[in-house]
Amino acid sequence: MGRVRRQTRHVKEKNPHLDAKYYEQLYTDKELMPSLFRISASTEKEVNRTWEIWKKYCALRASDSDPLQRLCNISVADLRRYMHWYLDKHNIKKLDTFYVRMRYWRMMYARKMYEKMDHIMAAKMKSFISTVLRVEYDLSETAQVKPTMSHALLILLMAYTSARPGALVEGSGYYNTGDCLKYKDIEIFKVRDPECPSRNILIMTVILRIMKGKRNKGSPEWINCPEDLQTFQVPSHLQSLPLQWKESMLEIPVFRRAVSEGGQVITSPTKALQYATIANQNLRLGKSTGFKDPFRFYCLRRGAANAINKITTTAERNQIMGHSRAEIYDKYYINQVVGTYTQSAYLGTPSKDALINLAGHMNLTRDPEAPNSIRPDLRAVKLDPEVQALEDERAQLRADIIAKFGSIKSAAGTALYDDYCITLADLRSRKEQVRRLKLDKDWQGYFNNSSIRHIDEQRRGIAYTYTEVTPTFIFEERERLASLLCQNRDVMEMSEYEVYENRLNALQDIISLCGRREAPRQVSRQAYEESTEEDPDPFPISCLGTQCLFYLGESSLCHSARTFSFSHRDALIRHVSGHLRTRDWSKNPSCPHPVCKTKLDSEMHFKNHAAIIHNIKL
């Protein structure tokens, strides 16, 4: 036998800082105590937000306002009071939503107390929510039946990829981080059509690198318009030809927010669109369409999930949806309307699939007359007791400031001024809250009584004829896009040339529409209607006295908005002052009139020029 080598034992060097005093303080000094578990940045933000809400609640009790002390001495009764207060102060409608908010509270408790909540108290909290609070606050247990150009493209991407909104735009936990879908995540290929090798088609792959729990774990310069994509073919020895983005485009977000620059609203070249902005626009879109239930982006994701579930395996569905386990789909995504005609199954007759699909569709309760029929009574805002109390408090603070300082602006920086600003913000917030609650109540009331109203009119012999509203388009590009994209024609029945022409025209109109701009709110509705009469001189040098020279020179506006006349000269002066604030006179800009090219060197020079040459006195 050979000689056995003795292994040398390496002794770990002692850390001189980890002495007996350190271990004695380890579970008494909270600065040295390790955290219980790691959480993501977005979860940390929600936990911190929950801590701020808890501090507001504790501040209500003057005798015991220390939030940490209240957590140390927390009891079941005090926890129930907090949950009542939270539901009274927040617009929570779903049971699952409140469970999530209280789960954040438990995480906050664990991170502040360095120990998890007692499991008996946690069980009592969950039981109290599911019994008393669910009934008292009418918390819904079931999911609702859910099925600018950026908005339209976002809807299509969500429907076709089943992506979460946070994978495409900046999520609520990642604002101002630029963490969103970027051009580097999109690859475009020109490939041979497998069904017709002589034809080349374009395909696009989207890399969803911002997945829940898995976040983040250039074209040639002569391609300048859609027609250029047809000037080259896939080489005979290749199956595809990748189209590369420019290096300068790779980090630019695909969906970008609107910003104010130079006195006008433009699409930011670098700032990503945020979820809260586009989510509110989507809710307004659902209201204007006439949907009874809120039209949220997750309607599209749930609809895509149910469609994908019919044609894929569970593993494939989890991969597409980004789910870690199959139970997530069963609990949160499956349609609440059973997709099987149980009567025909029992009787052994053919199933009526069309009726079943309609029963689970949002169109089942859609009423196109709802947006024009519901006019909420704004008097409810003024009669709200909390609004009246805040109005009285604001008036008293205003009187105190004027009596002491003479004007509101003179009190800036004082405690009285800060109290006034806080009260004014609370008043505005409460007014908006009451207005939305009133609108939601009237909206639901309209749909609840709609069938009764129609049946009553028919029984009494009242003739009723619905006239479909013809949409009015501000820009001709939008009108052409509507006719191209909403034809509902079968592509298989169209010639290849016709399909190519339609796609090319749609791309050209989309590009053109991105460069147009709607008029501001002060422009009346008549300004949107394009004139059919040809004007030989649409922009005369001598203008009407109340026209805006900057509007006249804005080619992205429609003609009637450019030639709009204000009702009073004072309104024009206030409007033009906004343009002048952003004007850089050191660059000697030209006159904004589309015909006049006079160089201007100061604001006074502009006003004199407008009065003498263009008949506009400012």
Side-chain angles (χ1 to χ4, degrees), residues 556-604:
S556 62
L557 294 173
C558 59
H559 177 270
S560 54
R562 296 174 68 180
T563 58
F564 173 77
S565 294
F566 287 82
S567 57
H568 300 286
R569 180 167 166 265
D570 292 340
L572 172 66
I573 293 174
R574 287 194 299 269
H575 169 79
V576 172
S577 63
H579 292 288
L580 296 177
R581 279 195 296 268
T582 59
R583 209 72 172 170
D584 186 2
W585 302 107
S586 63
K587 297 181 180 179
N588 291 98
S590 300
C591 174
H593 192 281
V595 178
C596 179
K597 300 301 179 184
T598 303
K599 294 292 184 179
L600 306 171
D601 54 21
S602 67
E603 182 176 332
M604 185 56 67

Side-chain angles (χ1 to χ4, degrees), residues 453-510:
R453 184 176 63 257
H454 287 300
I455 294 173
D456 181 65
E457 290 176 352
Q458 294 179 35
R459 292 293 299 271
R460 291 190 293 164
I462 300 176
Y464 174 80
T465 303
Y466 170 68
T467 303
E468 187 173 356
V469 179
T470 303
T472 302
F473 297 97
I474 303 173
F475 303 116
E476 58 183 10
E477 293 93 340
R478 185 167 288 165
E479 184 176 4
R480 290 196 298 266
L481 274 174
S483 63
L484 285 171
L485 301 179
C486 303
Q487 292 182 16
N488 294 327
R489 296 178 60 186
D490 189 353
V491 179
M492 302 304 296
E493 297 178 358
M494 302 170 63
S495 65
E496 182 179 345
Y497 177 77
E498 189 177 4
V499 172
Y500 166 72
E501 282 293 319
N502 285 350
R503 290 177 176 174
L504 184 62
N505 292 334
L507 281 173
Q508 291 173 338
D509 286 332
I510 289 173

Side-chain angles (χ1 to χ4, degrees), residues 380-382 384 386-387 429-440:
V381 177
K382 296 181 180 180
D384 180 69
E386 191 170 341
V387 169
S429 176
R430 179 58 184 173
K431 283 184 175 180
E432 180 63 19
Q433 182 184 15
V434 174
R435 188 192 65 80
R436 290 186 179 182
L437 291 174
K438 178 63 176 174
L439 178 59
D440 291 343

Side-chain angles (χ1 to χ4, degrees), residues 178-194:
D179 219 354
C180 59
L181 182 70
K182 298 182 178 179
Y183 281 97
K184 68 179 181 180
D185 304 319
I186 297 177
E187 295 180 339
I188 300 178
F189 298 86
K190 193 165 190 177
V191 302
R192 297 184 185 280
D193 189 349

